[in-house]
Amino acid sequence: MASEVVHGQLNATIFEARHLGHGSILNLLEKVGEEVKELLHLEGHNGLYATIDIGIARIARTRVLSHEPQNPIWNESFHILCAYKSSYLVVSVKKGLEISAEVIGRAQIPISEILTGDVIEGWYDLYNEDFSEKLRKAQIHVRLQFKHVSEDPYWGSGIRDGDFHGVQHVYFKQRKGCRVKLYQNSHLSEHYSPRIELGHGEERSFYRPPRLWEELYEYLDGAKHFIYIAGWSVNTKITLVRDKERMISGAEGVTLGELLKKKAEQGVRVLVLIWEDRTAVEVLRNQGLMKTHCDETFEYFKGTNVYCFLCPRHADHSLSPFQSAEIAAEFTHHQKTVSLDASIQGSENRQVVSFVGGIDLCDGRYDNEIHPLFRTLNTVYRDDFHQNNYKDADLEHGGPREPWHDAHSKIQGPAAYDVVANFIQRWTKQADPSLLLKPDDLPGLLPPDAHIEGPESWNVQIFRSIDDASVVGFPANPSDAPELGLVTVKDQVIDKSIECAYIEAIRRARDFIYIENQYFFGSCASWDRDQDCGCLHLIPIEIALKIVSKIKARERFSVYVLNPMWPEGIPEGDTVQAILNWFRNTARMMYKMIGEALREEGLDHEFRPTDYLNFFCVGNREVKLPGDYVPPERPEEGTDYWNAQKHRRTMIYVHAKLMIVDDEYIIIGSANLNQRSMDGARDSEIAQGCYQPYYINQRGRRARGEIFGYRMSLWYEHFAYKNGGLRREYLHPESIECVRLIRRICQRIWDSFVEEETVEDLPGHLMLFPMRVLNDGSLDEEEDIVYHDTKASVKGRKIDVLPPILTT
């Protein structure tokens, strides 16, 4: 039977199974399970559960029932977003063992029946694992109904404010009447002032880029009641305000640790929740493999009025000891939030303000739009030299430092309370809940439902990737999870609303998508290799299907994806090469689909796949100037570090996690576009999706609000400021003129970046990712490009010694 694309939403209910004990298989499995349990001296996690698969993708999984061996009743429903290709949908009954699971029986339903959109309900006969033998009397009762994406009234519709009530079936609802600020980098220089006009007609104004760490310092210093910080890493030694031209009175030289201790001594409740890196041991100088400084921070606050808790990544109690050890060792708490109380101009009341995004409060994050490599090493970066891409790099041996591009946001209004709620749920789960001050109990604080009116208001929705091992408040009974917008995986209850938010935004997109992210790979069920790596999230395939649909409709659509040149680390190293391999698999899949669509529509002679989808990276290069820092030592000759210093160039590390759709909607937070961040049961994450109702796209009027200003400001930083400024083509990112213009500019920047001699500062930062896409959509597999100044392959390679769960 031919494979067919299943793209839309599947509503599924698994009711029950019956007569499972009428064969020898179940009895045999029970015996094996008991023997394994006795042999390994482990408590059992045995029980029956059911799964739904489309092709290689597991799309639903019920809770485990331990005391119903023959006629288990689950009665669990699922709302499943689908973008898969297969011939059959398979429903399986499995018996959980300590280490894995065994199939009791399977039923398969042709995808052609699913695609009719009719309600399909009934008892289905179960067969053995390879469907070669029917099990006597064994059956499973399911109901399925599929809705194709084209039947969704919001497909390609944009926001349409009157109809958009936020992403449905998720934990936090959309909140109206908020305020939002969007930040690029932790700082911007005094001279950064792109001229970006917002609004229309008499309501026109100009975009004013805010500066994150300056504002954060002022908010922290002004808090009266509470400061709640959740971080992957928090380094007490960093200073937030460093720009001599913009120095805040009293802020010069003040470290984050000193500021927090001062506020705690003033009576402010300061709670700091940091991921505990279990590799942070004495032999590694307390930094751990991730260099998060978690033990240093804990020791710094010990005995002070600041309550600091190191928060390990615990596993759900329902998982086996093997799985629990895997979760604790391999995954992290990756959220980066600050919530506090703040004054309100012209009022005696106070408000809750929350910061959400990708920027950690740690070393190496301070940077501006210039992204200097060598020139400020003896001033701004004298105590904050960070370079993780070259072995043995330090200030004594000189630059280049690792420039850092990132993104963050600030929320005021009702959604800020949802960020506080997330912190309270996490703190209550793993720390001392008696230390919490709840905003509802604080005098003079605006209530959660107090919202802001007017054209500058925002609608905001908080999304997460997190499971019940990390928060309180999730239902004890997994069958109650769907009512709260949660999903179940066996007995785990999971919030994976970040992936849902990305998918909905992509499906609503009309003209273009702009992404900045530290990683971009996934949808492995549609790859042509490595399909079993487990990186199943749907974001790349959803983008590819969106482009294909636009090609078939003869409509323009453009996607811009900005990643680092390579993942942070030694570029020849196994981890970096494995991740590059996953990225190339993803790009290969997407370009192949686009190429095929162009051929099928007879457009392959007029357009190329890169007219629709482009991947970029950023870098910098500096000429040597009088007065530049001269290191006392030099790197070993011939090393990557020596070459980078000789040629005075390196990549700018992209750590941002954002997606802008049609200049009217943005998702920004801590989540990478990989399985770790999207899964919900791996790294814990938080993000917000938001828009300004007054500034959405309407007939004859493009969105020209803060999101538009933010996108244009990012483009100004990356390439426009040295290449003709903000041209009219950038007002229409979907246009072929815009795409091809940016590609030409990026090629010129790349040519300057790779020249042997450094004759001038790099004329911009944005470059095409070094990957050749042929006109038919295939990647040039013959080329074997290495990153300049290294011996590392751009293509990456499959690394068998690293389990995919670690690198995906």
Side-chain angles (χ1 to χ4, degrees):
M1 184 176 291
S3 295
E4 299 185 71
V5 176
V6 184
H7 187 205
Q9 178 169 305
L10 178 67
N11 294 320
T13 301
I14 301 177
F15 295 105
E16 58 185 316
R18 63 188 180 190
H19 305 310
L20 298 181
H22 279 269
S24 61
I25 294 178
L26 184 60
N27 294 330
L28 174 63
L29 291 176
E30 286 178 342
K31 182 178 180 181
V32 170
E34 291 301 319
E35 290 177 355
V36 169
K37 182 173 69 173
E38 183 177 351
L39 177 66
L40 298 179
H41 305 288
L42 299 171
E43 292 186 11
H45 291 261
N46 298 350
L48 298 179
Y49 63 96
T51 63
I52 302 176
D53 299 275
I54 298 179
I56 199 170
R58 175 71 35 79
I59 62 172
R61 189 177 340 208
T62 69
R63 69 190 186 279
V64 178
L65 299 179
S66 300
H67 305 294
E68 301 181 40
Q70 296 193 38
N71 302 297
I73 300 174
W74 293 285
N75 286 333
E76 290 189 44
S77 296
F78 307 89
H79 306 287
I80 307 161
L81 297 172
C82 298
Y84 307 104
K85 189 174 183 179
S86 184
S87 302
Y88 292 95
L89 178 147
V90 176
V91 184
S92 304
V93 178
K94 297 185 176 183
K95 182 177 179 62
L97 301 177
E98 298 295 340
I99 301 174
S100 60
E102 294 290 343
V103 174
I104 303 299
R106 283 181 166 170
Q108 62 181 8
I109 302 169
I111 289 296
S112 57
E113 292 185 22
I114 305 291
L115 293 179
T116 64
D118 297 334
V119 175
I120 301 171
E121 181 175 350
W123 287 93
Y124 289 86
D125 294 331
L126 293 175
Y127 291 74
N128 63 356
E129 187 166 2
D130 63 2
F131 294 99
S132 62
E133 180 182 353
K134 179 181 174 182
L135 305 184
R136 184 179 170 218
K137 291 189 177 182
Q139 293 181 314
I140 188 165
H141 182 197
V142 299
R143 181 173 62 214
L144 306 167
Q145 185 173 27
F146 175 71
K147 183 179 182 180
H148 192 270
V149 70
S150 62
E151 299 173 19
D152 188 335
Y154 305 125
W155 168 254
S157 70
I159 292 299
R160 289 193 343 203
D161 181 52
D163 297 326
F164 185 57
H165 304 290
V167 180
Q168 302 300 299
H169 307 299
V170 296
Y171 190 83
F172 290 113
K173 306 307 178 187
Q174 178 177 277
R175 312 297 187 188
K176 295 184 178 181
C178 301
R179 287 279 173 89
V180 171
K181 274 192 180 180
L182 302 170
Y183 304 94
Q184 60 194 93
N185 306 308
S186 58
H187 185 60
L188 294 169
S189 73
E190 172 69 12
H191 309 288
Y192 185 76
S193 56
R195 186 177 175 84
I196 303 168
E197 196 171 84
L198 308 181
H200 298 272
E202 297 179 357
E203 300 174 346
R204 292 179 183 177
S205 60
F206 288 95
Y207 181 72
R208 299 177 61 187
R211 291 158 174 84
L212 172 63
W213 276 12
E214 286 183 3
E215 292 193 14
L216 180 59
Y217 176 90
E218 293 180 318
Y219 273 103
L220 290 170
D221 195 41
K224 300 295 185 185
H225 297 298
F226 71 94
I227 297 171
Y228 294 162
I229 299 174
W232 176 82
S233 172
V234 176
N235 188 340
T236 59
K237 298 177 183 178
I238 65 167
T239 53
L240 297 175
V241 183
R242 308 183 196 183
D243 192 335
K244 300 287 187 181
E245 296 183 280
R246 296 181 54 85
M247 186 52 61
I248 297 171
S249 177
E252 187 168 7
V254 176
T255 68
L256 176 63
E258 292 168 345
L259 178 59
L260 294 178
K261 285 201 296 186
K262 181 187 80 171
K263 297 308 297 181
E265 289 166 2
Q266 292 174 354
V268 177
R269 180 59 50 88
V270 181
L271 305 181
V272 181
L273 191 63
I274 313 172
W275 170 58
E276 181 179 19
D277 181 357
R278 289 294 177 85
T279 66
V281 294
E282 193 64 37
V283 295
L284 295 174
R285 299 183 182 179
N286 286 330
Q287 288 189 12
L289 295 176
M290 297 289 189
K291 300 181 181 179
T292 61
H293 308 280
C294 58
D295 282 351
E296 292 178 21
T297 301
F298 180 79
E299 290 298 323
Y300 179 87
F301 287 127
K302 185 183 290 184
T304 74
N305 292 328
V306 175
Y307 297 96
C308 178
F309 183 79
L310 299 185
C311 184
R313 177 63 177 94
H314 287 321
D316 184 87
H317 66 87
S318 68
L319 299 180
S320 71
F322 297 99
Q323 293 168 317
S324 297
E326 184 178 60
I327 294 291
E330 296 177 353
F331 302 127
T332 77
H333 288 301
H334 199 238
Q335 296 180 346
K336 308 147 199 323
T337 68
V338 177
S339 295
L340 41 74
D341 68 289
S343 62
I344 302 173
Q345 188 173 4
S347 172
E348 294 184 358
N349 291 325
R350 298 183 68 79
Q351 63 180 326
V352 171
V353 175
S354 292
F355 293 82
V356 175
I359 302 181
D360 299 283
L361 292 172
C362 68
D363 45 317
R365 299 319 192 250
Y366 186 88
D367 211 340
N368 62 23
E369 78 285 355
I370 300 168
H371 300 295
L373 306 182
F374 299 93
R375 292 176 185 159
T376 52
L377 294 183
N378 57 345
T379 54
V380 175
Y381 297 102
R382 183 179 55 213
D383 299 317
D384 189 10
F385 182 89
H386 180 86
Q387 178 53 271
N388 281 338
N389 300 298
Y390 306 121
K391 187 178 179 182
D392 299 324
D394 58 25
L395 189 62
E396 291 294 304
H397 292 83
R401 59 174 284 271
E402 182 178 351
W404 199 271
H405 174 72
D406 219 325
H408 218 77
S409 68
K410 180 184 74 180
I411 308 168
Q412 298 166 262
Y417 282 82
D418 290 336
V419 181
V420 176
N422 167 76
F423 182 92
I424 290 173
Q425 288 180 336
R426 286 190 57 199
W427 184 275
T428 302
K429 183 73 174 185
Q430 293 194 267
D432 181 357
S434 68
L435 296 173
L436 286 164
L437 295 180
K438 297 183 179 180
D440 293 349
D441 300 331
L442 297 176
L445 206 63
L446 289 180
D449 58 354
H451 59 275
I452 302 159
E453 302 287 352
E456 302 307 314
S457 71
W458 294 67
N459 289 0
V460 179
Q461 192 169 14
I462 301 301
F463 308 112
R464 293 185 296 186
S465 293
I466 203 163
D467 65 11
D468 55 5
S470 301
V471 292
V472 299
F474 286 6
N477 186 347
S479 62
D480 296 330
E483 294 182 13
L484 294 176
L486 305 169
V487 299
T488 58
V489 177
K490 291 188 178 178
D491 285 347
Q492 287 179 279
V493 179
I494 298 171
D495 183 342
K496 54 182 304 180
S497 52
I498 293 179
E499 183 185 7
C500 295
Y502 268 93
I503 292 171
E504 170 136 349
I506 293 164
R507 291 183 176 183
R508 283 179 172 269
R510 294 192 299 187
D511 297 317
F512 79 94
I513 291 171
Y514 176 68
I515 289 172
E516 292 187 0
N517 207 281
Q518 184 180 2
Y519 302 112
F520 185 89
F521 50 86
S523 308
C524 67
S526 299
W527 294 354
D528 64 359
R529 63 198 72 180
D530 303 326
Q531 291 180 315
D532 60 349
C533 73
C535 193
L536 289 164
H537 77 87
L538 297 178
I539 292 163
I541 188 70
E542 287 283 351
I543 291 173
L545 288 169
K546 169 63 73 169
I547 294 172
V548 168
S549 74
K550 290 291 187 176
I551 291 171
K552 292 182 180 298
R554 298 294 207 277
E555 296 175 359
R556 278 299 306 160
F557 195 85
S558 300
V559 178
Y560 306 81
V561 181
L562 173 59
N563 294 138
M565 197 174 291
W566 68 79
E568 189 179 29
I570 306 303
E572 297 96 328
D574 285 351
T575 299
V576 170
Q577 287 291 299
I579 293 172
L580 287 170
N581 178 58
W582 306 138
F583 165 69
R584 191 171 180 89
N585 287 349
T586 303
R588 184 187 297 112
M589 174 266 294
M590 297 177 76
Y591 278 124
K592 179 182 177 183
M593 293 175 61
I594 296 168
E596 289 176 350
L598 288 172
R599 285 194 301 277
E600 290 171 3
E601 296 302 314
L603 297 172
D604 51 324
H605 296 296
E606 183 179 356
F607 299 106
R608 300 182 291 271
T610 52
D611 289 332
Y612 297 87
L613 171 67
N614 284 282
F615 294 97
F616 302 91
C617 56
V618 281
N620 202 8
R621 190 170 193 176
E622 292 178 349
V623 295
K624 191 170 184 177
L625 297 178
D628 279 2
Y629 171 72
V630 178
E633 300 183 40
R634 291 292 305 277
E636 181 182 346
E637 187 170 348
T639 61
D640 295 355
Y641 188 12
W642 183 85
N643 283 320
Q645 194 172 99
K646 173 188 173 183
H647 295 116
R648 299 183 66 83
R649 67 188 173 198
T650 193
M651 72 164 173
I652 297 169
Y653 196 64
V654 177
H655 193 257
K657 301 97 169 50
L658 68 90
M659 182 174 75
I660 294 171
V661 178
D662 298 337
D663 279 339
E664 65 181 0
Y665 187 80
I666 185 171
I667 298 173
I668 185 169
S670 68
N672 294 310
L673 296 182
N674 60 3
Q675 193 64 29
R676 293 178 68 108
S677 289
M678 294 295 126
D679 191 87
R682 298 188 183 184
D683 289 352
S684 63
E685 308 282 7
I686 191 167
Q688 64 146 320
C690 59
Y691 66 99
Q692 293 177 282
Y694 192 75
Y695 295 101
I696 60 175
N697 289 302
Q698 301 175 25
R699 182 172 296 179
R701 194 175 88 164
R702 301 280 295 234
R704 292 292 182 261
E706 291 287 321
I707 296 173
F708 161 77
Y710 185 60
R711 195 259 303 168
M712 293 289 275
S713 183
L714 289 167
W715 283 19
Y716 187 81
E717 171 190 335
H718 293 326
F719 64 90
Y721 71 107
K722 289 186 178 180
N723 292 278
L726 293 170
R727 305 188 189 187
R728 60 177 179 79
E729 287 90 346
Y730 307 154
L731 300 176
H732 301 277
E734 74 279 5
S735 70
I736 193 73
E737 294 80 11
C738 182
V739 173
R740 291 180 178 176
L741 172 60
I742 291 175
R743 284 183 58 86
R744 290 195 299 272
I745 292 172
C746 290
Q747 186 61 55
R748 290 201 298 267
I749 298 172
W750 174 262
D751 291 342
S752 297
F753 183 78
V754 301
E755 285 179 347
E756 180 63 22
E757 299 296 326
T758 308
V759 297
E760 63 175 350
D761 286 354
L762 201 65
H765 297 139
L766 191 71
M767 299 174 284
L768 295 169
F769 188 86
M771 173 175 61
R772 187 174 174 219
V773 183
L774 304 180
N775 287 343
D776 65 355
S778 61
L779 302 186
D780 187 348
E781 304 294 355
E782 298 300 320
E783 64 172 356
D784 192 18
I785 299 177
V786 297
Y787 290 109
H788 288 78
D789 301 328
T790 82
K791 301 178 182 65
S793 171
V794 171
K795 294 162 62 174
R797 65 182 187 275
K798 188 174 182 181
I799 306 296
D800 292 326
V801 297
L802 291 177
I805 195 173
L806 186 63
T807 56
T808 57

